[in-house]
Amino acid sequence: MSTITRRIIPAIAIAGTMMLVATGCVAGENADASSDGDSKPAAGEWSSDTLSIDFATYNPLSLVIRDQGILEEILGDDVKVEWIQSAGSNKANELLRSGSVDVGSTAGSAALLARANGSPIQVIDIYSQPEWAAIVVGPDSDITSVEDLKGKSVAATKGTDPYFFLLQALEEGGLSLSDVEVQNLQHADGRAALDGGSVDAWAGLDPIMAAAEAESGDKLIYRNVDFNSYGFLNATEEFITDHPDLAQAVVDAYEQAREWALENPDETAALLAEVAGIDIEVATTVIQERSNLDVSGVPGDDQLAVLQKIAPVLVDSGDVQGGKASVDKALSSIVNSTFAEKAVGGE
């Protein structure tokens, strides 16, 4: 853990809360969920002695929680917190599906794809409303628009927001997926492929994308904040049902981290720079210009509205088994707002 952030402000213990929650609910349907008490469980009374959770450079709040030991403060010595890094939404979804993590960070579009394909996950908190994806080309490229991508090779990580950003951008430019050659590469490998000249463009993700701009002179030829989905914090339905106390503790920790990050943007950028191995100037751009952390943590109608726009793109991509019916079913059941409502409401 970083000692820099610890010197700036110590972690503050906040109470985790016990609650029972029904799964498979859209926003508002679980508003009547209640618990027998709102106090932190006594020593040894947590529902599990371990909690596996991811951290990711595209999720700044996870970095704050991990660095400051916020979850460890909430849970005490009776629960061991296991931190696993996610390299992208697709990797976080793999970790959730395999049971390697209980809670994982993805883009909203990636969460919808996973649930539509049978992964029993729900979003329990919103960690950002970022502009973290764009279409990127090299400094000497003659590609200046999406239309210029026709017949070109594009690196993208399937199952992540940049991939779905690419699909939407192609549609906006009058192209289809068949008009380009997609190289399915993890985000960092996509940048390397672009810089090495083995692809013509890259559907980029911050903070790697911001570093590519600063270090390689790469150019963002197409940006559209409306094509970026929110940052989703997801948990499996089994975890939500069997360990609602731990789910509440995680969401409580996220709300504490959000408050701290908004009050300390420079320190948050410094932490991102350290973990991601990027220059502080690049990290500052990501935090202050492309990561909207000042957003309600309660998932609901705003996020569903974005996903409803992405849904037809998902169906047309052929990446969803069961097509439209599976996507519609996932849309109707992906949101579980109970924990965030309680954390934000301060109950």
Side-chain angles (χ1 to χ4, degrees), residues 128-194:
S128 68
Q129 184 187 13
E131 184 192 5
W132 53 18
I135 305 300
V136 188
V137 298
D140 301 321
S141 176
D142 57 2
I143 297 173
T144 60
S145 68
V146 173
E147 291 80 0
D148 293 337
L149 293 176
K150 186 172 183 178
K152 304 296 185 181
S153 59
V154 184
T157 310
K158 288 189 175 182
T160 70
D161 231 30
Y163 176 70
F164 298 117
F165 184 95
L166 172 64
L167 298 186
Q168 294 175 89
L170 290 173
E171 183 179 41
E172 183 83 0
L175 303 177
S176 68
L177 197 58
S178 62
D179 289 316
V180 299
E181 178 189 353
V182 175
Q183 297 289 334
N184 184 22
L185 299 172
Q186 201 61 46
H187 301 299
D189 297 330
R191 178 198 170 178
L194 178 64

Side-chain angles (χ1 to χ4, degrees), residues 24-345:
C25 301
V26 296
E29 290 180 345
N30 46 16
D32 293 333
S34 61
S35 63
D36 294 332
D38 293 331
S39 60
K40 177 178 175 179
E45 292 185 2
W46 294 102
S47 61
S48 176
D49 58 6
T50 60
L51 170 66
S52 297
I53 185 169
D54 81 340
F55 68 100
T57 56
Y58 54 84
N59 177 359
L61 297 187
S62 71
L63 306 184
V64 173
I65 295 169
R66 176 173 174 263
D67 181 73
Q68 295 187 4
I70 296 175
L71 264 175
E72 288 82 354
E73 290 282 354
I74 294 173
L75 298 172
D77 296 332
D78 294 303
V79 180
K80 178 183 178 182
V81 180
E82 299 174 341
W83 289 97
I84 300 175
Q85 184 167 10
S86 291
S89 293
N90 61 322
K91 296 301 183 182
N93 275 326
E94 290 174 8
L95 291 170
L96 283 163
R97 184 183 285 273
S98 68
S100 298
V101 297
D102 302 308
V103 182
S105 318
T106 74
S109 57
L112 178 61
L113 173 65
R115 185 165 181 90
N117 278 327
S119 182
I121 61 170
Q122 291 184 308
V123 51
I124 59 174
D125 192 69
I126 301 299
Y127 59 81
S128 68
Q129 184 187 13
E131 184 192 5
W132 53 18
I135 305 300
V136 188
V137 298
D140 301 321
S141 176
D142 57 2
I143 297 173
T144 60
S145 68
V146 173
E147 291 80 0
D148 293 337
L149 293 176
K150 186 172 183 178
K152 304 296 185 181
S153 59
V154 184
T157 310
K158 288 189 175 182
T160 70
D161 231 30
Y163 176 70
F164 298 117
F165 184 95
L166 172 64
L167 298 186
Q168 294 175 89
L170 290 173
E171 183 179 41
E172 183 83 0
L175 303 177
S176 68
L177 197 58
S178 62
D179 289 316
V180 299
E181 178 189 353
V182 175
Q183 297 289 334
N184 184 22
L185 299 172
Q186 201 61 46
H187 301 299
D189 297 330
R191 178 198 170 178
L194 178 64
D195 289 348
S198 57
V199 295
D200 301 301
W202 167 47
L205 177 73
D206 275 334
I208 302 169
M209 182 171 67
E213 287 183 275
E215 298 166 2
S216 304
D218 292 343
K219 300 178 293 186
L220 310 187
I221 62 158
Y222 186 76
R223 298 171 66 174
N224 189 330
V225 66
D226 293 334
F227 286 176
N228 293 258
S229 63
Y230 288 75
F232 276 29
L233 188 70
N234 308 304
T236 63
E237 290 181 350
E238 180 180 4
F239 176 75
I240 290 170
T241 300
D242 294 346
H243 307 290
D245 55 339
L246 297 183
Q248 189 64 59
V250 170
V251 176
D252 288 346
Y254 264 82
E255 289 309 310
Q256 180 179 335
R258 188 192 317 278
E259 181 178 352
W260 185 87
L262 291 173
E263 293 175 354
N264 300 275
D266 293 340
E267 290 84 353
T268 303
L271 179 57
L272 174 61
E274 178 185 355
V275 177
I278 57 179
D279 290 340
I280 185 61
E281 293 81 6
V282 174
T284 298
T285 296
V286 172
I287 294 299
Q288 297 189 3
E289 298 180 19
R290 298 181 186 171
S291 297
N292 179 16
L293 303 178
D294 191 11
V295 61
S296 172
V298 181
D301 290 343
D302 289 345
Q303 290 73 41
L304 288 174
V306 174
L307 294 184
Q308 285 164 355
K309 293 178 182 178
I310 295 173
V313 179
L314 278 181
V315 174
D316 292 342
S317 72
D319 292 328
V320 179
Q321 300 173 6
K324 184 177 184 301
S326 293
V327 173
D328 289 346
K329 183 178 180 181
L331 275 171
S332 71
S333 57
I334 195 170
V335 171
N336 190 320
S337 61
T338 307
F339 302 104
E341 286 172 349
K342 194 162 190 177
V344 171

Side-chain angles (χ1 to χ4, degrees), residues 4-23:
I4 298 175
T5 308
R6 287 185 179 279
R7 288 198 298 267
I8 294 168
I9 181 171
I12 302 171
I14 60 176
T17 53
M18 294 284 289
M19 63 163 46
L20 298 176
V21 55
T23 59

